């Protein structure tokens, strides 16, 4: 008897057609910077889909096409001014809607569809009797976008709007957002900083973009005090450091909060080979994080977990990290391994060094003293 499909994969060809600019890395072309295409290119995402098809895993997932978010849903977080500005920029193309968030021609419609993918996934895992996990290949990404401007390749904040949709339209009361992107999810944090119905946990590289965001002292305020947990790790933290942080901080916090739904900002830019981060996660590291968070979802959230693609800029390695995540979500193992990890033999990506352990312990002590 064929195993019943229990994991949704949501994507649309339009996601790969968003034009994030013709700069180099995160700067526009000009002067001595020769245009090379935005580092936020469609290839790292398109190759995820390609690898899923090549491995045969795609055929074992429930493929769902997203519906675009409505303007009313965009307004769950964003100002009308920002929405209208993006709409106008989209007719021209090549305009920054904030800070390094280029709107290409037609990007308004694509960004609405990216938000819609997040909403579709949430609706699916909440309402379906069989599909409890989902991965959305959202593009453009979302976690940096603030209420009144885009930022860091993000135009609209997919995960914030999906969270508010779950609360407003599906009646979900307590939601966990885990952000493992190497960069801090500032827009997401802003949305729920005074909200005790959402536990926001960000584990990221200390001192990376956005500057002066994601400090351990940033814990929320008002009713939301203690419901924001920032885990800024030292550069070069790898699998063992993330595992220790999960064991000491993330898992206990989730067990205490007991969410009804778990959403993940799945940024694969904390990987060993990423050009915009200096962390050392392998495919096994992403596999471990997914396995752990899936178990917590089964314990507290009726198994409901949605991963939304965020950063990840190494076109050759992101697909393997993401494939590992989707294998864990679906419970299906293929013969896809990590073809590049041998190059890191002799490095410390598998080690928990003394100064790394001490740093995580400091964050843990602070969290215990200030969390809800």
């Amino acid at each position: 008897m064929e195993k019943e499909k229990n994991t949704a994969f949501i994507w649309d060809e339009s996601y790969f057609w968003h034009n994030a600019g013709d700069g180099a890395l995160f700067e526009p072309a000009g002067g001595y910077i020769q245009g090379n295409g935005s580092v936020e290119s469609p290839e790292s995402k398109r190759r995820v889909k390609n690898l899923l098809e090549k491995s045969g895993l795609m055929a074992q997932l429930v493929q769902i096409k997203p519906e675009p978010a409505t303007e009313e849903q965009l307004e769950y977080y964003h100002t009308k001014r920002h929405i209208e500005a993006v709409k106008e920029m989209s007719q021209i193309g090549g305009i920054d809607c904030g800070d390094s968030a280029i709107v290409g021609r037609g990007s308004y419609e694509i960004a609405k569809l990216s938000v819609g993918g997040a909403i579709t996934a949430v609706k699916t895992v909440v309402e379906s009797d069989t599909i409890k996990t989902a991965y959305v290949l959202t593009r453009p990404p979302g976690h940096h976008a603030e209420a009144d401007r885009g930022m860091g390749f993000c135009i609209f904040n997919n995960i914030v709007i999906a969270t508010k949709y779950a609360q407003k339209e599906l009646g979900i009361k307590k939601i966990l957002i885990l952000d493992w992107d190497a960069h801090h999810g500032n827009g997401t944090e802003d949305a729920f900083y005074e909200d005790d119905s959402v536990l926001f946990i960000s584990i990221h590289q200390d001192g990376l973009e956005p500057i002066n965001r994601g400090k351990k002292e940033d814990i929320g305020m008002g009713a939301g005090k203690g419901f924001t947990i920032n885990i800024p790790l030292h550069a070069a933290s790898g699998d063992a450091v993330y595992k220790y942080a999960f064991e000491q901080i993330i898992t206990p916090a989730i067990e205490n909060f007991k969410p009804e739904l778990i959403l993940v900002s799945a940024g694969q830019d904390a990987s060993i080979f990423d050009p915009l981060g200096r962390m050392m996660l392998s495919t096994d590291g992403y596999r471990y994080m997914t396995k752990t968070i899936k178990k917590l979802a089964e314990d507290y959230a009726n198994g409901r977990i949605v991963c939304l693609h965020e950063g990840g800029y190494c076109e050759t390695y992101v697909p393997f990290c993401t494939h590992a995540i989707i294998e864990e979500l679906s419970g299906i193992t293929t013969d896809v391994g990590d073809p590049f990890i041998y190059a890191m033999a002799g490095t410390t990506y598998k080690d928990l060094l003394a100064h790394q352990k001490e740093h995580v312990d400091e964050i843990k002590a602070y969290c215990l003293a200030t969390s809800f």
Side-chain angles (χ1 to χ4, degrees), residues 183-314:
H183 306 83
H184 180 254
N186 56 291
T188 309
E189 180 179 279
D190 288 350
F192 302 109
Y193 206 61
E194 299 182 49
D195 189 341
D196 62 358
S197 70
V198 176
L199 174 61
F200 174 65
I201 303 176
S202 179
I203 181 168
H204 51 271
Q205 182 179 324
D206 190 16
L208 203 57
E209 293 288 335
I211 297 171
N212 294 323
R213 295 300 302 264
K215 298 179 181 180
K216 74 176 189 297
E217 292 83 7
D218 299 335
I219 60 169
M221 61 187 297
K225 186 176 181 180
F227 289 84
T228 291
I229 297 175
N230 280 299
I231 307 171
L233 300 178
H234 293 317
S237 294
D239 292 1
V241 185
Y242 276 75
K243 184 174 186 290
Y244 189 65
F246 263 73
E247 292 172 345
Q248 299 298 312
I249 303 172
I250 295 174
T251 295
I254 296 171
E255 290 174 337
N256 190 22
F257 183 66
K258 298 178 176 57
E260 299 171 34
L261 173 67
I262 294 177
L263 305 183
V264 179
S265 275
Q268 276 66 275
D269 47 7
S271 79
I272 288 173
F273 299 105
D274 200 89
L276 294 190
R278 296 295 179 266
M279 305 305 266
M280 297 179 68
L281 275 179
S282 71
T283 57
D284 282 345
Y286 283 103
R287 191 180 295 279
Y288 165 78
M289 293 193 298
T290 309
K291 184 176 182 178
T292 302
I293 204 71
K294 183 183 177 185
K295 178 62 167 60
L296 289 164
E298 291 168 348
D299 289 343
Y300 299 104
N302 194 28
R304 300 181 294 206
I305 179 171
V306 172
C307 292
L308 305 180
H309 201 91
E310 297 281 3
Y313 308 100
C314 180

Side-chain angles (χ1 to χ4, degrees), residues 70-99:
T70 65
E71 288 194 22
E72 180 182 4
Q73 288 168 338
L74 295 182
E75 288 179 24
Y76 286 166
Y77 181 49
H78 295 290
T79 63
K80 287 187 177 182
R81 190 193 73 83
H82 176 56
I83 296 168
E84 290 302 315
V86 171
K87 189 186 300 185
E88 293 175 10
M89 292 174 187
S90 181
Q91 297 173 10
I92 303 169
I95 304 175
D96 196 334
C97 70
D99 181 1

Side-chain angles (χ1 to χ4, degrees), residues 329-361:
L329 286 178
S330 65
I332 299 169
T333 302
T334 72
D335 63 351
V336 174
D338 187 328
F340 305 105
I341 198 62
Y342 74 93
M344 303 309 294
T347 68
T348 61
Y349 81 93
K350 288 185 176 181
D351 301 327
L352 178 63
L353 304 180
H355 74 279
Q356 295 168 330
K357 180 180 184 299
E358 181 180 355
H359 182 63
V360 173
D361 287 342

